[in-house]
């Protein structure tokens, strides 16, 4: 197996499939390809894959159904690829567990950069295998606390990439965690949608990267997913406040509710 692991390309168009295979091979992946959904699901199961590039328009079952089946057994990073730009497609993909969404035609270097950004930051463990147990702190609970940000009963641990609300774990995707951690770290400062797109991509220092309206809408979808998982009301937010026309910021600190864990 290559250093970066296994990538599976599920794409029915032979030219596009070959292009994607070449991009991933150059990036350092061991690459396997499939031309339809059923074959693709089996390829992800057999390898198993670290990264999946998944076309929405497949000849047998569509990419959304393939994604649903993959998520039943795999925590691979999934990038949805489509020639359609309709927002419902993006919403369906991200709600279904995709990590990113890119439209055709795309720039191979952009796809490679997005995949590299995902691979640099591990996602939370979920499903089958539990995360490795962290060593118990010896004399330094203070040092451990340096990795934890807290706000209105929500705790976000940068080191373990976990979040807990009232002491109960909140399962987040990689993108959701990165956005939440960035807003917590900003401590009430407004973060624009453009800045948050770079957070999702891991491109903090690349101010010249092109960002489309679709990229910014993807951030809105991730924020909506975060609100749903946290039970946050956008009309009276405890954590994620919309700044109309600009972006988002952390809501104001509120008095602790009776019985709420600190």
């Amino acid at each position: 197996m290559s250093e970066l692991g296994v990538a599976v390309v599920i794409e029915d168009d032979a030219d596009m499939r070959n292009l994607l295979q070449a991009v991933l091979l150059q990036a350092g992946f061991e690459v396997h390809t499939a031309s339809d959904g059923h074959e693709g699901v089996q390829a992800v199961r057999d390898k198993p894959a670290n990264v999946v590039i998944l076309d929405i328009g497949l000849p047998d079952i569509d990419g959304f159904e393939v994604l649903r089946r993959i998520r039943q057994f795999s925590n691979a990073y999934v990038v949805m690829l489509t020639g359609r730009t309709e927002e419902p497609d993006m919403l369906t993909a991200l709600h279904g567990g995709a990590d990113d969404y890119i439209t055709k035609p795309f720039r191979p270097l952009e796809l490679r950069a997005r995949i590299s950004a995902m691979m640099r930051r591990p996602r939370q463990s979920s499903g089958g295998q539990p995360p490795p147990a962290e060593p118990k702190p010896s004399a330094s609970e203070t040092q451990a606390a340096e990795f934890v940000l807290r706000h209105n009963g929500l705790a976000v641990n940068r080191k373990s990439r976990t979040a807990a609300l009232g002491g109960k774990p909140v399962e987040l995707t990689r993108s959701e965690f990165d956005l939440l951690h960035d807003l917590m770290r900003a401590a009430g400062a407004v973060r624009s949608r453009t800045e948050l797109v770079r957070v999702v991509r891991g491109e903090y220092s690349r101010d010249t990267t092109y960002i489309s309206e679709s990229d910014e809408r993807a951030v809105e979808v991730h924020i909506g997913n975060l609100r749903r998982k946290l039970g946050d009301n956008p009309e009276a937010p405890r954590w994620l406040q919309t700044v109309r026309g600009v972006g988002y910021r952390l809501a104001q600190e509120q008095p602790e509710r009776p019985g709420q864990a600190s």
Side-chain angles (χ1 to χ4, degrees):
M1 182 183 295
S2 69
E3 183 178 348
L4 289 179
V6 175
V8 172
V9 175
I10 308 173
E11 164 66 63
D12 62 319
D13 182 89
D15 290 337
M16 180 61 65
R17 190 167 62 247
N18 291 336
L19 171 62
L20 291 166
Q21 182 178 24
V23 170
L24 292 166
L25 285 171
Q26 290 172 5
F29 287 95
E30 172 187 326
V31 185
H32 301 270
T33 64
S35 58
D36 63 46
H38 287 100
E39 182 185 356
V41 172
Q42 194 61 44
V44 175
R45 188 188 300 275
D46 289 345
K47 300 311 167 190
N50 303 96
V51 172
V52 178
I53 309 299
L54 172 59
D55 185 32
I56 289 180
L58 296 171
D60 51 352
I61 53 176
D62 66 27
F64 302 125
E65 175 61 18
V66 174
L67 175 62
R68 186 190 70 79
R69 297 185 187 186
I70 288 174
R71 280 290 173 250
Q72 291 176 355
F73 63 87
S74 173
N75 203 30
Y77 294 108
V78 178
V79 178
M80 301 292 283
L81 187 65
T82 179
R84 302 181 297 193
T85 58
E86 289 85 353
E87 187 165 333
D89 282 351
M90 179 180 64
L91 290 169
T92 302
L94 296 178
H95 281 311
D99 295 281
D100 208 346
Y101 181 99
I102 191 167
T103 57
K104 304 173 188 176
F106 65 91
R107 292 171 294 179
L109 287 178
E110 179 186 359
L111 176 63
R112 184 169 171 175
R114 291 196 185 192
I115 293 172
S116 296
M118 289 191 300
M119 297 295 288
R120 283 196 299 269
R121 291 171 293 159
R123 64 161 80 250
Q124 275 184 286
S125 296
S126 64
Q129 296 183 345
E134 293 187 15
K136 294 183 179 179
S138 51
S140 56
E141 288 184 355
T142 305
Q143 183 179 4
E146 293 177 1
F147 298 104
V148 181
L149 299 174
R150 301 180 187 276
H151 187 79
N152 289 338
L154 177 64
V156 173
N157 188 316
R158 174 175 60 85
K159 186 175 183 181
S160 63
R161 293 184 62 84
T162 56
L165 178 57
K168 296 181 179 180
V170 181
E171 186 174 334
L172 303 176
T173 66
R174 178 197 62 84
S175 297
E176 291 164 2
F177 179 88
D178 290 337
L179 288 171
L180 180 59
H181 179 265
D182 187 80
L183 289 167
M184 295 272 283
R185 188 179 59 176
V190 177
R191 300 287 282 156
S192 71
R193 290 176 177 82
T194 298
E195 290 171 323
L196 293 176
V197 168
R198 293 195 176 100
V199 169
V200 171
R201 293 183 181 177
E203 295 170 347
Y204 292 95
S205 60
R206 297 182 59 183
D207 295 334
T208 59
T209 303
Y210 174 72
I211 293 174
S212 67
E213 291 183 7
S214 178
D215 294 325
E216 294 188 354
R217 287 199 299 273
V219 165
E220 295 174 6
V221 174
H222 288 309
I223 293 292
N225 288 341
L226 269 172
R227 283 175 167 154
R228 175 175 52 82
K229 291 182 178 182
L230 296 174
D232 203 14
N233 179 1
E235 301 300 323
R238 289 180 60 81
W239 298 285
L240 307 175
Q241 181 177 357
T242 301
V243 181
R244 295 193 181 280
V246 183
Y248 303 92
R249 67 182 175 194
L250 200 63
Q252 293 183 351
E253 189 79 35
Q254 299 179 11
E256 189 173 317
R257 293 174 176 174
Q260 178 181 317
S262 60

